[in-house]
Amino acid sequence: MVRFQNVGLHYGEGRDVLSDITFALGPGTFHFLTGPSGAGKTSLLRLMYLAQRPSCGKVTMFERDIANVPRDELPALRRRIGVVFQDFRLLEHLTAFDNVALPLRVAGVDEARIKTHVEELLTWVGLGGHLEDRPVTLSGGQQQRVAIARAVITRPRLLLADEPTGNVDDEIAVRLLHLFDELHKIGTTVVVATHNPSIVARFAYPTLHLEDGRLTGDRRGAAA
Amino acid sequence: MRALRLPSLCLPRSEVALGRDPSGRYLPSIVAAMIFLAAVALAGALALSAAAARWQDALSGTMTVEIPPAASDRTAAALALLRATPGIARAEAMSRERIDALLEPWLGKGERLVHLPVPTLIDVTLTSGARVDTAALEVRLAGVAPGAAVDDHRRWLDGVIGLARVTFGLALAVVAIVGVVAAGAVIFVTRAKLAANREAIDLLHLMGADDHYIAGHFARQGLVQGIQGGIVGLLAAAAALAAMALVLRAVDPALGARATLSLGQAATLLLLPPLAGLIAMLTARRTVLSALARVI
Ligand SMILES: Nc1ncnc2c1ncn2[C@@H]1O[C@H](COP(=O)(O)OP(=O)(O)OP(=O)(O)O)[C@@H](O)[C@H]1O
Ligand SMILES: [Mg+2]
């Protein structure tokens, strides 16, 4: 599903943000990605959601070497990936409903199905009463749930979540993690970057730990 | 506070509608100004060539023969010669009253005219389709009425037709320049919109939208704004042209009546707004595709 071989990354002329990263994620696995602020978690996820090509090494996604995928074939690969961005990236001028509907519209799903799916999912994350609200009128935690709903609405084969529980209390955090767990159980490969040790402890899944741009080994279910 | 959401008339699927649009009013107004210029230039050129064609129709079957005052007693002989010439259907000397009326704007009205020696003018009508060699006719006329001159209006008509052609060429040049300037404005506006909506576009890319999907939204917006601007510009041009026709009619009713557009010509002007929309759409599309080709 995902395989990194000796991957390095630097932005522009800057220093190496990631160095010598090697790991593989099998289909249907669930991993936490931990590490101190600035360790490179977001950068590693960016490589996985194809926002960035590696500076060195080889990234293989869905059995394809990303270096050899022509530009016009990237969209099809990206449509299999759902992303919860650390900064949400909701579009301010769209309602919660329209934000969540966006990936479905990009994929050309018909409006009737979009309506049922989006309303169902937003209700499930507790925002059934906020369908027509704009992001600015929602709290941080509510925005985060909109962002998560948008990431999972297409039932992606790979779900990448960057600090998805940063703005919600533990109860909601656990509820959201259960949502990811549900997707994992139906076969989605999940990677969750988090600072929250209680979440990592609660779900016994393997952890990729980054320190200063380097992987320091999988720590299976260990509380950070 | 919830922002006021206007119903989006033109872009119902505004989900990817590129949010705030810093230049959304700018493009329609520049297109309106351009279409105004193009429409006025084209209408002027079309009206002039239509008038030239009508003048040519009206005048091509006629000639005027002028007999100087000194030879005015030879008028009857000249008339006889003209009537005997093949191709001439009718030759009639103009009455003194008509000649006075023709001269009035230059000489004024009054007693003095009666004593003024004026040339005799003969209206000549050709049988339809006939051609008469003006130079040869003039030589033969000089034999019976010395100094007689034949005017078949050719020189004047050639001048008018030449003017109409030059004006038409100029109008086409104006339309071409307007097209280029409008396309430039579309490129500028599209780049500004791309910059203003960078985040949304990056996001769409990451969700798997391909370049054509994104370019399509800009193209639709260009089409709508181009047509909107085109319609406004055309309406303004129509108002300006109507005002001009009124003024012209007040100055000279005959000229005013001639300076009108045929239905076909008006239809040509109606093509301007869709043309503006098409140019805006294709230019926006191209601009977006070439800009997006530079991102991963
Ligand atoms: N676009 C960028 N251009 C240049 N440098 C960047 C860019 N994005 C991140 N970096 C740098 O890369 C390093 C790793 O950043 P990254 O965002 O991947 O860390 P992180 O582990 O996600 O941190 P956090 O837990 O605070 O989100 C940082 O030193 C950061 O300054
Ligand atoms: Mg981060």
Side-chain angles (χ1 to χ4, degrees), chain B residues 251-266:
Chain B
V251 172
D252 181 345
L255 198 59
R258 281 203 181 108
T260 53
L261 291 181
S262 69
L263 273 177
Q265 290 171 327

Side-chain angles (χ1 to χ4, degrees), chain A residues 41-42 86 162-163:
Chain A
K41 301 182 293 295
T42 298
Q86 191 166 7
D162 200 351
E163 292 288 353

Side-chain angles (χ1 to χ4, degrees), chain B residues 65 67 71-82 122 137-148:
Chain B
V65 173
I67 294 170
S72 59
D73 56 332
R74 306 295 302 154
T75 305
L79 279 171
L81 185 146
L82 287 167
I122 300 173
L137 183 62
E138 209 166 57
V139 172
R140 286 170 55 221
L141 269 176
V144 295

Side-chain angles (χ1 to χ4, degrees), chain A residues 125-140:
Chain A
V125 297
L127 293 174
H130 298 275
L131 296 178
E132 293 305 315
D133 288 1
R134 305 262 184 136
V136 278
T137 68
L138 298 173
S139 73

Side-chain angles (χ1 to χ4, degrees), chain B residues 4-291:
Chain B
L4 180 67
R5 193 178 188 191
L6 294 172
S8 51
L9 291 173
C10 30
L11 297 165
R13 301 258 322 226
S14 64
E15 71 279 3
V16 197
L18 310 152
R20 293 128 290 150
D21 180 358
S23 36
R25 294 274 72 77
Y26 174 71
L27 187 60
S29 31
I30 203 153
V31 169
M34 294 290 133
I35 291 301
F36 176 82
L37 292 177
V40 169
L42 263 185
L46 288 171
L48 188 58
S49 30
R54 276 193 288 262
W55 273 319
Q56 185 163 26
D57 280 354
L59 294 178
S60 59
T62 68
M63 296 192 297
T64 305
V65 173
E66 182 185 327
I67 294 170
S72 59
D73 56 332
R74 306 295 302 154
T75 305
L79 279 171
L81 185 146
L82 287 167
R83 287 175 183 148
T85 303
I88 290 180
R90 217 179 62 89
E92 228 40 85
M94 270 187 220
S95 65
R96 180 66 204 240
E97 289 75 42
R98 248 193 92 193
I99 294 175
D100 284 351
L102 284 174
L103 291 176
E104 195 189 288
W106 282 276
L107 301 180
K109 212 172 189 161
E111 279 302 295
R112 337 172 241 127
L113 273 182
V114 179
H115 308 292
L116 201 71
V118 294
T120 306
L121 298 179
I122 300 173
D123 264 341
V124 175
T125 311
L126 306 182
T127 48
S128 70
R131 289 209 139 269
V132 171
D133 181 344
T134 328
L137 183 62
E138 209 166 57
V139 172
R140 286 170 55 221
L141 269 176
V144 295
V150 180
D151 176 11
D152 64 354
H153 321 295
R154 198 65 250 168
R155 286 241 316 265
W156 184 82
L157 261 182
D158 283 351
V160 170
I161 289 167
L163 181 66
R165 285 214 183 103
V166 170
T167 312
F168 201 72
L170 272 177
L172 287 185
V174 168
V175 171
I177 291 169
V178 154
V180 170
V181 172
V186 172
I187 292 175
F188 172 78
V189 163
T190 305
R191 293 221 177 113
K193 277 193 218 163
L194 277 170
N197 291 285
R198 247 209 85 165
E199 271 181 54
I201 290 165
D202 281 351
L203 186 71
L204 286 171
H205 261 145
L206 293 179
M207 286 176 176
D210 60 21
D211 293 352
H212 292 277
Y213 182 87
I214 296 168
H217 283 273
F218 284 87
R220 273 194 286 284
Q221 217 166 49
L223 178 69
V224 168
Q225 293 186 342
I227 291 178
Q228 279 174 344
I231 289 173
V232 171
L234 192 60
L235 288 177
L241 290 169
M244 216 161 96
L246 277 181
V247 171
L248 208 58
R249 210 151 289 172
V251 172
D252 181 345
L255 198 59
R258 281 203 181 108
T260 53
L261 291 181
S262 69
L263 273 177
Q265 290 171 327
T268 310
L269 295 183
L270 286 181
L271 287 178
L272 286 174
L275 185 71
L278 198 69
I279 290 178
M281 179 178 90
L282 295 177
T283 312
R285 200 183 141 72
R286 264 200 65 127
T287 309
V288 172
L289 288 179
S290 70

Side-chain angles (χ1 to χ4, degrees), chain A residues 28 80 134 141 173 188 204 206:
Chain A
R80 302 184 196 169
R134 305 262 184 136
T188 304

Side-chain angles (χ1 to χ4, degrees), chain A residues 11 15 17 35-44 46 86 162-163 195 210:
Chain A
Y11 293 104
R15 63 181 181 83
V17 169
S37 182
K41 301 182 293 295
T42 298
S43 302
L44 186 61
R46 279 173 61 82
Q86 191 166 7
D162 200 351
E163 292 288 353
H195 277 127
L210 271 176

